[in-house]
Structure formats: structure tokens, C-alpha cells
Amino acid sequence: MSNANTPFVLPRFGEFLPTRVIPGPMEGVTEGEFLKILTRHQWIRAWWTPFLRISVAVPRAARLRDWLAQYNATGLPILVQLMGTDAPRIAKAAAGLRKLGARGIDLNCACPSQIVVGNGAGGAQLKYPEWIAEAVSALKSAVDCPVGVKVRMGFDSPQEFHARIAPALREAQPDFVTVHFRTVQELYRPIPDGLERLKNARKELQDIPLVGSGDLFTPEDAINMFQKCGMDAVAPARGLLKNPRLVQDIEKRLNGEDPPSWSTQEKYALLQEFQTAGTHLGFYLQMAANLFGRDSQQFKNIVQQMPRPSQRP
Ligand SMILES: Cc1cc2nc3c(=O)[nH]c(=O)nc-3n(C[C@H](O)[C@H](O)[C@H](O)COP(=O)(O)O)c2cc1C
């Protein structure tokens, strides 16, 4: 396992991203103030957008520009994620986003949301691996940058990976594949054999760079995933809500350094930044609960000090 200064390199393109620790996309989280504040602290070296849903029409260039603006404003390389059911439309949108600066394009075939799956998109595509192969091929023809696919191990069962998903990915040859070790049906429930599953994915896709996803809450979790599963990169997601410095902490651990501890004052200072930025109250309280622990005295104090609804402007 090489150190954190090793960039994420892809066979067709050479250096893709400056780091192999990429914050996983999170709709409703990796946007707005969260994006700005973590970027300002230099805790992140590349962003991965949550999915942009391409449905009835390809969005116009101005709409794509507006959507991408907050990511481009970070000045960091941006991996753009798209989702949908119409491969040619997705490919057209990808071409537009590439022109606007996307460093890479990722196809979401992993989202377990009932609405998304009900529309045949996201994780539902795992039932149609031949569609995934077709969409990757359309994307590779449409853009001159890396094309990735984000999958789960299966829709109902992880056996689907071996039986149908991996063969389609081997045929389609995306530039990289991100594997979240759960199935769609498992949603976010704990599973006992996540790393085993990723090891199997590694065996199935020997020539394709793999990004590992699932339960990366500490630097040790990430080191384990790199070492035990042979991943080329990792994508921590929910862990960033508990520790917004997680990406940097993992990078430090990869370099053999101890991540600095996180003082109570620093946590309060960070919350203050979110408050000053006008973060939505629900998200602010979620951050506070994650940083201090929902049962902590600090969190109880924060809740008590919140203005009562009648006192709020
Ligand atoms: C609130 C939330 C929103 C998410 N949005 C996306 C998304 O837009 N695209 C995507 O590929 N994955 C999305 N994910 C999945 C994460 O990127 C990640 O694969 C998953 O949470 C497992 O990693 P973790 O256990 O480290 O959180 C989301 C997860 C959460 C919790």
C-alpha cells in the first residue's frame, strides 16, 4: 500500500485525482456550506457530486453550469455523478458537464431510495447489467475523461455480482468502479462480511481500478479496506458527518502520521462556522449531535440554547 501522496492513477488517463481518499457523494450533505467549509479548511482534495438526475430531457448548458457552479467554485477537481435510465441522454449531459470542467463522470447504479428505484434508476440498474454496459459505452464515446460506475454488490443478493454484474463491467471496461459492499435491499443496515465481499469484487475485476465504499468511519477502517481488499482508492461518506476531517485523517494515517486529536474548542468553532454561514437548523443540530454525540452534555447544552420557535425571527 503506497502513501497518501500517491495520486489516483488510471490506465487510460494517468493521474486522475491528486488523492486516493475521495469523499463519497452524499445528496443533501456534500453541497452548500458543508462543501465551502470543508474546502476552506483544506480537508478535502477532490469533490464528488451527488447524483444529477437526467430524466425527460438533457438539461440546457446554463442549467448544468448553475448546478456545477458550487463545485467548480471550490477550485478542486470535480467528479460528477449522473443518474437516469436513458443512456444517450446521460451521455449528452456528461459531454456538457465535461465542457464545464468536470474531471470525471460517474454513473450512479447504487442508490437504494424507493423513489429512485421505483423509477428504474440508481440501484434498479443492477437488475439490468447489460444496460450498465451500454451506458458506459455511450459515456466513453461522449467524453474524453475518466468514466466510472458506482454499484452495490447486487440488488437482492451479493451473488449477483459474480453472476451478472462483474461480467457486464468486464465487458464495458469503465475506467474505475466504486463498490459499496451492501446490496440495494440491505440499504444501510450492518452486514458482517462487507470486506469479504469487496475482496471478491477485487478478484472479479482484476484489471479495473476499484474504489471501496462502506462503513469507513475511522482511518483504521480505511487502512483495513486498502490492505485487506486491495482497493485502489476509498470513499468515506457518513463518517464525514462525525469527523469532517476524516479524509485528511485517513491521508495522514496512510503517510504513517497520527491524525491530530479534535478538541472540544475546535468542534465548537466548526459549529460556529456552520451557524454563521446560516446553515439550516436541522443540519446544524445533526452536525452538533455527530460531533459531540447525541447523549453528550455539550449537545444537550446546544439544544437548550437554541431559541424557542416563538423566539426565532
Ligand atoms: C445522506 C446520504 C446521501 C447519499 N447520496 C449519494 C449520492 O448522491 N450518490 C451516491 O453514489 N451515493 C450516495 N450515498 C452513498 C454514499 O456515497 C456511500 O456509498 C454510503 O453511504 C456507504 O458509505 P459509508 O458507510 O462510509 O457512509 C449517500 C449516502 C448518504 C448517507
Side-chain angles (χ1 to χ4, degrees):
M1 188 179 56
S2 38
N3 69 21
N5 295 323
T6 317
F8 188 18
V9 173
L10 303 175
R12 235 170 29 112
F13 290 91
E15 180 170 334
F16 170 37
L17 299 174
T19 176
R20 295 173 306 127
V21 188
I22 319 159
M26 281 186 285
E27 199 203 7
V29 177
T30 49
E31 52 192 54
E33 299 312 326
F34 192 86
L35 201 66
K36 281 191 200 152
I37 291 171
L38 272 65
T39 303
R40 193 159 65 223
H41 283 280
Q42 299 185 332
W43 290 334
I44 304 290
R45 294 204 278 154
W47 283 110
W48 188 344
T49 73
F51 61 80
L52 174 65
R53 180 90 203 275
I54 306 300
S55 50
V56 286
V58 180
R60 277 205 271 263
R63 154 113 170 81
L64 293 177
R65 188 177 305 112
D66 286 351
W67 177 80
L68 198 58
Q70 61 174 331
Y71 296 96
N72 276 341
T74 66
L76 296 174
I78 303 299
L79 171 56
V80 165
Q81 189 178 72
L82 297 175
M83 177 201 271
T85 54
D86 185 307
R89 263 187 228 144
I90 294 173
K92 263 196 187 160
L97 288 157
R98 170 66 180 150
K99 278 195 198 129
L100 294 165
R103 177 72 62 96
I105 301 291
D106 184 50
L107 179 67
N108 181 318
C109 300
C111 180
S113 136
Q114 267 187 3
I115 298 175
V116 167
V117 168
N119 285 323
Q125 301 291 13
L126 296 175
K127 294 181 183 173
Y128 309 101
E130 59 289 353
W131 182 88
I132 299 177
E134 179 198 323
V136 167
S137 159
L139 280 167
K140 281 172 77 177
S141 307
V143 295
D144 61 350
C145 64
V147 169
V149 187
K150 188 158 183 276
V151 296
R152 287 184 174 228
M153 287 298 292
F155 190 89
D156 295 303
S157 150
Q159 308 306 329
E160 293 162 34
F161 198 83
H162 167 75
R164 298 190 60 217
I165 298 167
L169 291 171
R170 282 194 297 268
E171 183 206 320
Q173 287 289 313
D175 293 295
F176 62 99
V177 172
T178 305
V179 186
H180 176 183
F181 57 49
R182 294 181 174 84
T183 64
V184 171
Q185 299 286 16
E186 286 166 343
L187 299 171
Y188 290 91
R189 285 194 286 276
I191 55 157
D193 59 344
L195 295 188
E196 272 311 304
R197 292 181 186 185
L198 284 189
K199 252 161 86 176
N200 288 338
R202 174 74 288 168
K203 276 190 211 134
E204 299 276 355
L205 301 176
Q206 295 190 6
D207 305 330
I208 303 181
L210 288 189
V211 182
S213 165
D215 294 354
L216 293 170
F217 295 111
T218 65
E220 288 64 37
D221 293 336
I223 302 291
N224 247 338
M225 191 181 275
F226 271 120
Q227 286 180 340
K228 294 197 174 142
C229 313
M231 294 292 107
D232 299 279
V234 293
R238 290 168 298 166
L240 284 165
L241 288 164
K242 271 201 161 60
N243 173 10
R245 279 196 317 216
L246 181 59
V247 165
Q248 196 191 59
D249 286 357
I250 295 171
E251 290 178 336
K252 282 197 189 299
R253 190 51 61 80
L254 283 171
N255 282 339
E257 299 165 36
D258 281 335
S261 59
W262 181 246
S263 72
T264 303
Q265 280 83 350
E266 281 174 306
K267 291 181 186 176
Y268 276 122
L270 181 65
L271 280 176
Q272 183 68 49
E273 283 183 62
F274 276 97
Q275 197 167 36
T276 309
T279 305
H280 179 269
L281 182 63
F283 189 74
Y284 173 81
L285 287 175
Q286 192 191 346
M287 284 295 297
N290 282 330
L291 283 172
F292 289 113
R294 202 164 277 281
D295 295 329
S296 67
Q297 194 51 48
Q298 287 101 329
F299 180 62
K300 287 178 190 152
N301 293 345
I302 288 170
V303 173
Q304 254 173 11
Q305 283 156 19
M306 295 312 303
R308 304 260 161 276
S310 57
Q311 296 171 308
R312 283 183 211 140

